[in-house]
């Protein structure tokens, strides 16, 4: 049964063509996806639109276009310019160009190579005052002159609405345009298109409400007081009232309103006063991360690279065994409270205490990968890597001399005198190398020189809890305030390789509408910690009956106090530290088997559901039955544990493939049960009837 429409939703009659087939007639439609982050990486929306481009292009072909702002550097490095294949699109672009507004077209050089239409905001800025007047006349929203981002979004929206007007004029009587707008920055384009009665169907997706992000950053008890906030007052006090108005107007102007998770749907209902029509979870291009049965060996290989960095960083204090060291990490935007870095640090302090009290020989090295203001690498961090490299060179030199003398002795049929095989010079070289590893201070907590060292939230918390990387600490902290890069002279690893080398990702977010970081861990077979306030955590709770057994630890931050949540997170991490290698291998296999739940091949069908729901509101449309999806990842992913070369069996943990398959069948729910396969439609491999 189709979802009921919002009271603000006007009729779609005449905007889209009627059809009588069970599939959406994409050959008769043009789909335009509008986002500020098309070819312009700012945050998570970039990952959303980039990762699902391939499946969208596969479905829509040359009838799919992305739209966003033009930045010269991004265009030169990410886009291959070409001419539009559609004559109406080309004429609409020419109309804008002849009126002094620059529009660029090409293929975005990502998987799927979708067409992109990019609008040069600078070339049209001379129209800003006039367009502000148009916005005020149409919906009585005024924008302050000093808000550059809001003004730029209005320019982009005005250009997009202008483009759609020209396009529909050239198309004539064919009502075949769908516009999908992401976030408030794309909102003005939707608002102006609707106010000018342009014949097109519209979808608006909010990935996080604007006010919700601001409120959570202010450490308020957000989710328990959703119905108590004076929305207008809160937005006004934060000087974002005009942005909030744009977002709310776009939500109520859209024919269909969607969010990315159930938790965000609840938030949007209170913050924006409209219940989402459809929830469209974010997926990943799992094929990109797929390593089949090699993911265990990839974990081992990349773990060795992280160990090399740790050897240099802790030189002179490397009194713990790297074979009994676990690597935890947190990564993302530097939002100290929203991302849960506050509760994570407090839990690390308690974990350190538990490991010391229980005399556990396991050491935990924790990485904070969050970009902050710095002026360069600090000298001590660079020196550590230089010392490590020199020690390695010294060891290689002595090894070559030792090997040659041993080889010569064996050729003569003699057992060499081990006391004579190394001469005095060799011992001198080795002693000098050992003395070079001595350091007078503790290993640094941060790898860079921080500009706001005294007020930085992470460093302030580290000082408060006293985790200074001393010899007695079983938990070591490394703050890397810069995104990872394979060209870095300090930690030369890409983010994907780094994640594969870690043992656990920890993301105890308080405000996380979806959460790509734990999702990326999952598809790479790395266990992770999330919360029931993140879209990812709620999704896993809904579809996996025992998430912890599959390496998804969900902290309750909604119904428990901060103290209780902190203790729960501490217990999760302590229990993880007590696992044997064999148990961690089995858990990584189970985690990787959840990949299919997050694949756009399946979650993309919910986008298709949204499009068909949009069309079902039009007179003459018959609501089609979407395809079913594979019932369990176990049907397509082998479940036998594959060992890394380093991680040997150190216990007799039982493992039976049939038992694992039965566990999957009982614990993992199908991603989306939307109905049976339409009559006459051929089932895809792996699909089953319902």
């Amino acid at each position: 049964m189709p979802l009921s429409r919002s009271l603000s939703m006007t009729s779609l009659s005449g905007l889209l063509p009627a059809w009588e087939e069970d599939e959406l007639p994409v050959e008769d439609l043009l789909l335009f996806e509008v986002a500020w982050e098309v070819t312009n990486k700012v945050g998570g929306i970039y990952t959303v639109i980039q990762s699902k481009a391939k499946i969208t292009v596969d479905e829509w072909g040359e009838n799919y276009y992305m739209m966003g702002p033009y930045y010269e550097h991004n265009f030169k490095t990410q886009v291959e310019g070409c001419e539009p294949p559609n004559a109406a699109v080309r004429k609409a672009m020419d109309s804008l160009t002849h009126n002094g507004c620059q529009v660029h077209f090409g293929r975005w050089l990502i998987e799927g190579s979708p067409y992109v239409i990019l609008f040069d905001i600078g070339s049209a800025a001379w129209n800003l005052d006039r367009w502000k007047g148009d916005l005020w006349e149409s919906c009585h929203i005024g924008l302050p002159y000093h808000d550059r981002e809001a003004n730029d979004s209005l320019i982009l929206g005005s250009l997009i609405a202008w483009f759609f007007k020209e396009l529909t004029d050239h198309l004539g009587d064919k009502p075949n345009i769908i516009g999908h707008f992401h976030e408030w920055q794309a909102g003005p384009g939707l608002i102006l298109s609707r106010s000018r009665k342009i014949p097109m169907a519209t979808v608006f997706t909010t990935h996080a409400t604007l006010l919700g992000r601001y409120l959570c950053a202010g450490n308020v008890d957000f989710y328990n007081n959703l119905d108590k906030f004076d929305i207008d007052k809160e937005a006004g006090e934060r000087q974002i009232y005009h942005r909030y108005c744009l977002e709310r107007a776009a939500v109520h102007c859209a024919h269909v309103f969607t969010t990315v998770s159930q938790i965000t749907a609840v938030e949007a209902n209170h913050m924006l006063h409209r219940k989402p029509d459809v929830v469209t979870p974010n997926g990943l291009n799992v094929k990109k991360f797929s390593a089949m049965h090699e993911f265990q060996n990839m974990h081992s290989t990349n773990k060795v690279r992280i160990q090399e960095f740790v050897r240099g960083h802790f030189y002179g204090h490397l009194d713990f065994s790297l074979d009994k060291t676990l690597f935890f990490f947190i990564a993302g935007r530097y939002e100290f409270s929203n991302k849960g870095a506050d509760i994570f640090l407090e839990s690390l302090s308690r974990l350190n205490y538990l490991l010391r009290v229980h005399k556990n020989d396991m050491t935990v090295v924790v990485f904070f990968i969050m970009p902050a203001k710095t002026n360069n690498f600090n000298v001590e961090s660079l020196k550590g890597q230089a010392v490590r490299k020199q020690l390695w060179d010294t060891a290689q030199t002595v090894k070559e001399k030792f090997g040659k003398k041993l080889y010569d002795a064996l050729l003569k049929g003699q057992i060499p005198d081990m006391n004579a095989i190394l001469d005095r010079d060799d011992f001198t070289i080795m002693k000098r190398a050992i003395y070079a590893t001595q350091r007078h201070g503790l290993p640094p907590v941060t790898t860079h020189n921080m500009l706001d060292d005294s007020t930085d939230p992470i460093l302030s918390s580290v000082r408060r809890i006293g985790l200074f990387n001393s010899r007695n600490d079983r938990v070591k902290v490394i703050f890397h305030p810069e995104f990872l890069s394979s060209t870095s002279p300090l930690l030369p690893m890409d983010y994907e390789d780094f994640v594969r080398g870690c043992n656990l990702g920890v993301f105890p977010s308080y405000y996380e509408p979806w959460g790509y970081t734990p999702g990326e861990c999952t598809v790479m077979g790395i266990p992770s910690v999330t919360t029931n306030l993140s879209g990812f955590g709620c999704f896993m709770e809904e579809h996996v009956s025992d998430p912890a057994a599959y390496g998804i630890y969900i902290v309750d931050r909604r119904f428990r106090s901060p103290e209780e949540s902190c203790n729960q997170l501490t217990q999760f991490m302590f229990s993880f530290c007590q696992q044997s290698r064999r148990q961690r291998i089995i858990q990584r296999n189970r985690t990787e088997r959840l990949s299919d739940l997050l694949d756009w091949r399946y979650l993309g069908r919910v986008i298709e559901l949204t499009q068909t729901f949009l069309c079902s509101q039009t007179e003459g449309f018959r609501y089609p039955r979407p395809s079913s999806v594979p019932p369990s990842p176990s049907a397509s992913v082998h479940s036998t544990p594959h060992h890394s070369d380093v991680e040997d069996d150190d216990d007799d943990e039982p493992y039976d493939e049939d038992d694992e398959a039965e566990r999957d069948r009982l614990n993992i729910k199908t991603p989306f049960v939307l109905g049976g396969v339409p009559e006459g439609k051929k089932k895809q491999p792996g699909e089953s009837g319902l």
Side-chain angles (χ1 to χ4, degrees):
M1 177 179 179
L3 297 171
S4 59
R5 293 189 292 175
S6 164
L7 292 176
S8 66
M9 191 186 304
T10 58
S11 173
L12 280 167
S13 177
L15 298 183
L16 293 171
W19 82 92
E20 295 184 358
E21 299 296 327
D22 282 323
E23 294 183 352
L24 198 66
V26 295
E27 66 278 0
D28 298 326
L29 299 170
L30 294 177
L31 174 61
F32 294 87
E33 193 152 13
V34 184
W36 191 261
E37 298 195 28
V38 171
T39 74
N40 176 39
K41 187 172 184 178
V42 178
I45 301 174
Y46 179 90
T47 305
V48 175
I49 58 179
Q50 183 193 45
S51 61
K52 75 182 180 72
K54 176 66 166 62
I55 66 151
T56 311
V57 170
D58 288 345
E59 180 184 358
W60 288 80
E62 295 193 347
N63 290 357
Y64 173 59
Y65 301 85
M66 291 185 178
M67 307 173 78
Y70 168 80
Y71 292 97
E72 183 178 9
H73 175 73
N74 293 344
F75 189 85
K76 288 182 176 179
T77 57
Q78 300 182 45
V79 180
E80 179 185 20
C82 62
E83 287 296 317
N86 187 295
V89 170
R90 183 167 58 253
K91 290 177 182 177
M93 290 176 53
D94 290 342
S95 296
L96 270 67
T97 302
H98 293 156
N99 283 278
C101 302
Q102 296 300 313
V103 186
H104 302 265
F105 188 90
R107 283 191 180 274
W108 191 3
L109 300 179
I110 58 175
E111 192 171 6
S113 301
Y115 287 127
V116 291
I117 304 172
L118 304 177
F119 299 88
D120 190 335
I121 293 173
S123 70
W126 55 277
N127 291 295
L128 179 60
D129 290 338
R130 178 166 62 86
W131 287 339
K132 280 187 177 183
D134 292 343
L135 183 67
W136 177 259
E137 290 295 327
S138 62
C139 55
H140 287 81
I141 297 176
L143 302 184
Y145 72 92
H146 56 77
D147 190 342
R148 173 71 179 273
E149 188 174 5
N151 289 329
D152 285 350
S153 69
L154 175 60
I155 296 173
L156 177 63
S158 299
L159 289 169
I160 288 172
W162 186 358
F163 171 85
F164 282 137
K165 179 65 170 66
E166 296 289 342
L167 180 61
T168 53
D169 288 346
H170 289 300
L171 288 173
D173 297 331
K174 297 179 181 178
N176 59 354
I177 296 177
I178 297 177
H180 187 173
F181 299 79
H182 293 267
E183 285 295 292
W184 73 270
Q185 293 99 326
L190 191 156
I191 297 167
L192 294 170
S193 296
R194 293 304 310 282
S195 66
R196 295 169 186 175
K197 295 181 171 54
I198 297 174
M200 60 183 291
T202 56
V203 182
F204 183 79
T205 297
T206 181
H207 298 258
T209 68
L210 189 64
L211 186 56
R213 192 179 292 279
Y214 273 83
L215 287 170
C216 288
N219 293 321
V220 300
D221 188 4
F222 181 66
Y223 291 99
N224 291 323
N225 294 283
L226 277 173
D227 57 343
K228 300 179 179 65
F229 290 114
D230 184 338
I231 304 300
D232 292 335
K233 176 175 176 292
E234 297 288 353
E237 288 179 349
R238 288 161 177 77
Q239 299 183 18
I240 58 167
Y241 186 69
H242 56 286
R243 295 187 180 191
Y244 165 73
C245 288
L246 287 175
E247 180 181 40
R248 183 169 169 180
V251 165
H252 286 269
C253 284
H255 294 106
V256 172
F257 171 44
T258 78
T259 61
V260 297
S261 63
Q262 292 291 350
I263 193 74
T264 312
V266 174
E267 173 191 344
N269 193 28
H270 287 88
M271 295 288 107
L272 301 172
H273 299 290
R274 178 176 175 183
K275 183 179 180 181
D277 301 296
V278 186
V279 172
T280 57
N282 289 332
L284 283 164
N285 184 359
V286 172
K287 184 179 178 182
K288 170 187 173 183
F289 299 98
S290 177
M292 299 302 289
H293 303 316
E294 282 298 307
F295 76 95
Q296 293 283 11
N297 284 332
M298 293 176 73
H299 166 73
S300 176
T301 301
N302 289 297
K303 185 177 179 180
V304 169
R305 296 171 65 185
I306 297 175
Q307 287 175 337
E308 284 301 297
F309 168 79
V310 169
R311 286 189 175 98
H313 193 81
F314 290 94
Y315 82 92
H317 286 256
L318 199 64
D319 52 356
F320 53 91
S321 171
L322 288 176
D323 289 333
K324 293 185 177 181
T325 298
L326 299 176
F327 299 122
F328 295 0
F329 81 99
I330 182 174
R333 278 195 302 263
Y334 197 172
E335 297 177 3
F336 184 68
S337 298
N338 284 358
K339 297 298 182 183
D342 50 355
I343 188 176
F344 186 28
L345 281 162
E346 181 61 36
S347 298
L348 288 176
S349 175
R350 300 179 187 190
L351 175 65
N352 185 49
Y353 172 78
L354 288 176
L355 292 174
R356 292 170 63 178
V357 166
H358 289 272
K359 300 187 183 302
N360 194 306
D361 59 355
M362 191 67 71
T363 300
V364 177
V365 176
V366 184
F367 290 86
F368 287 76
I369 313 295
M370 291 180 159
K373 294 180 179 179
T374 66
N375 59 18
N376 214 329
F377 301 106
N378 63 42
V379 174
E380 193 63 23
S381 294
L382 291 172
K383 179 183 177 183
Q385 300 308 312
V387 168
R388 176 194 62 78
K389 188 177 185 304
Q390 181 161 1
L391 279 174
W392 173 259
D393 292 341
T394 299
Q396 293 303 305
T397 301
V398 173
K399 184 180 76 171
E400 288 179 7
K401 293 178 66 176
F402 179 93
K404 187 175 185 304
K405 292 181 180 179
L406 176 63
Y407 175 64
D408 290 340
L410 292 176
L411 282 176
K412 296 175 182 177
Q414 302 173 353
I415 298 297
D417 182 357
M418 302 308 293
N419 294 321
I421 204 166
L422 294 177
D423 55 32
R424 183 182 297 273
D425 289 341
D426 295 328
F427 283 102
T428 300
I429 291 173
M430 290 189 289
K431 287 179 181 179
R432 289 178 60 183
I434 292 173
Y435 292 153
T437 65
Q438 296 179 358
R439 71 193 312 170
H440 302 292
L442 296 173
V445 170
T446 180
T447 57
H448 292 60
N449 295 320
M450 303 291 293
L451 292 182
D452 301 315
D453 184 287
S454 60
T455 59
D456 181 81
I458 289 179
L459 296 182
S460 297
S461 293
V462 167
R463 296 185 190 103
R464 178 180 60 81
I465 62 180
L467 284 180
F468 297 120
N469 296 335
S470 65
R471 293 183 183 275
N472 294 328
D473 288 331
R474 296 272 54 82
V475 174
K476 317 286 186 181
V477 175
I478 300 176
F479 180 22
H480 189 281
E482 191 176 79
F483 285 130
L484 297 173
S485 170
S486 58
T487 60
S488 169
L490 196 63
L491 182 55
M493 297 182 73
D494 287 328
Y495 178 73
E496 181 181 334
D497 293 337
F498 175 80
V499 172
R500 288 189 185 277
C502 287
N503 299 98
L504 182 70
V506 185
F507 315 101
S509 303
Y510 184 78
Y511 187 78
E512 192 71 79
W514 177 247
Y516 261 119
T517 41
E520 289 168 337
C521 287
T522 301
V523 299
M524 288 188 271
I526 302 301
S528 62
V529 177
T530 183
T531 74
N532 60 353
L533 289 181
S534 76
F536 174 84
C538 293
F539 180 84
M540 284 300 176
E541 277 188 324
E542 181 182 355
H543 293 91
V544 183
S545 61
D546 184 13
Y550 286 82
I552 308 295
Y553 299 93
I554 302 175
V555 177
D556 185 355
R557 296 203 65 181
R558 187 173 186 184
F559 303 110
R560 295 193 183 192
S561 67
E563 177 69 16
E564 291 172 326
S565 299
C566 188
N567 287 334
Q568 186 183 22
L569 175 57
T570 304
Q571 189 57 47
F572 281 155
M573 293 191 294
F574 184 62
S575 298
F576 189 86
C577 292
Q578 292 179 310
Q579 289 183 352
S580 65
R581 277 183 171 175
R582 173 70 170 172
Q583 289 171 325
R584 293 198 300 273
I585 289 171
I586 293 174
Q587 189 179 58
R588 282 199 296 273
N589 275 278
R590 291 174 180 168
T591 302
E592 199 267 347
R593 291 208 304 276
L594 296 179
S595 296
D596 281 354
L597 285 175
L598 304 173
D599 198 337
W600 272 123
R601 289 182 299 155
Y602 307 137
L603 297 184
R605 296 183 183 178
V606 185
I607 305 294
E608 181 181 345
L609 169 64
T610 305
Q611 293 158 356
T612 53
F613 169 54
L614 173 66
C615 298
S616 72
Q617 309 305 314
T618 309
E619 295 178 7
F621 278 80
R622 183 160 61 86
Y623 193 63
R625 294 172 296 168
S627 309
S628 62
V629 292
S632 167
S634 62
S636 58
V637 182
H638 200 271
S639 56
T640 303
H642 295 268
H643 306 275
S644 63
D645 294 334
V646 175
E647 298 191 354
D648 303 322
D649 294 346
D650 56 0
D651 56 31
D652 297 320
E653 183 74 17
Y655 189 94
D656 184 87
E657 183 177 340
D658 293 335
D659 289 345
E660 289 295 307
E662 179 65 13
R663 176 193 292 271
D664 287 350
R665 188 185 68 79
L666 294 175
N667 289 334
I668 302 175
K669 178 182 173 184
T670 59
F672 291 96
V673 181
L674 302 173
V677 178
E679 185 177 351
K681 177 175 177 175
K682 183 179 179 181
K683 288 184 182 180
Q684 297 300 315
E687 289 187 342
S688 62
L690 297 176

